[in-house]
Amino acid sequence: MSVPWRAYSTRLIGRSAELEHLGRRVDAVRAGRPGGLVLVSGEAGVGKSRLVREVSVRAEDRGVQVLTGRAVPAGEPYRPLVEAMSAALRDRPLPDDDGLRPYLPVLAAVLPDAEVS
């Protein structure tokens, strides 16, 4: 059985502006500022997954937790967010934060396995 040839490179080409921007976001998190949410979109094959993997490795190397979720064609609109949050909350409750209180009913609906009080 032959395995199809697959190109692979350890170098990320043509993404210096994106890497710099996302690197500043990671540095802001490390400095204690809110990290926010980064959405990466684009046509198939343009390097979104490769860019996200590179930034994720760099962030995790700096001690920053990275949550990821993937969209699929004809998938549910909130699938990436639900996937990321489900993985982060597996076996632990939502943070006890008054700022989350207004969103608990929605979070309970999209994260049925999370401990929402």
Side-chain angles (χ1 to χ4, degrees), residues 2-108:
S2 68
V3 175
W5 182 81
R6 189 167 187 197
Y8 178 77
S9 173
T10 58
R11 294 180 45 193
L12 187 61
I13 299 171
R15 296 291 188 191
S16 57
E18 292 89 345
L19 284 172
E20 184 178 327
H21 172 77
L22 294 169
R24 286 193 304 269
R25 299 289 302 263
V26 170
D27 291 341
V29 170
R30 292 187 68 230
R33 294 190 298 273
L37 173 71
V38 174
L39 301 175
V40 178
S41 66
E43 297 295 320
V46 297
K48 299 177 300 294
S49 296
R50 178 69 176 91
L51 174 65
V52 169
R53 276 194 309 271
E54 181 67 26
V55 173
S56 295
V57 166
R58 291 180 183 194
E60 289 170 344
D61 285 348
R62 294 177 178 168
V64 175
Q65 182 182 17
V66 176
L67 306 179
T68 58
R70 297 179 65 110
V72 296
E76 297 176 16
Y78 294 106
R79 182 181 188 272
L81 181 61
V82 170
E83 183 178 306
M85 291 182 68
S86 293
L89 295 171
R90 190 168 291 127
D91 301 324
R92 62 181 174 189
L94 283 170
D96 185 19
D97 185 327
D98 286 339
L100 286 177
R101 197 160 314 288
Y103 307 103
L104 290 180
V106 173
L107 291 171

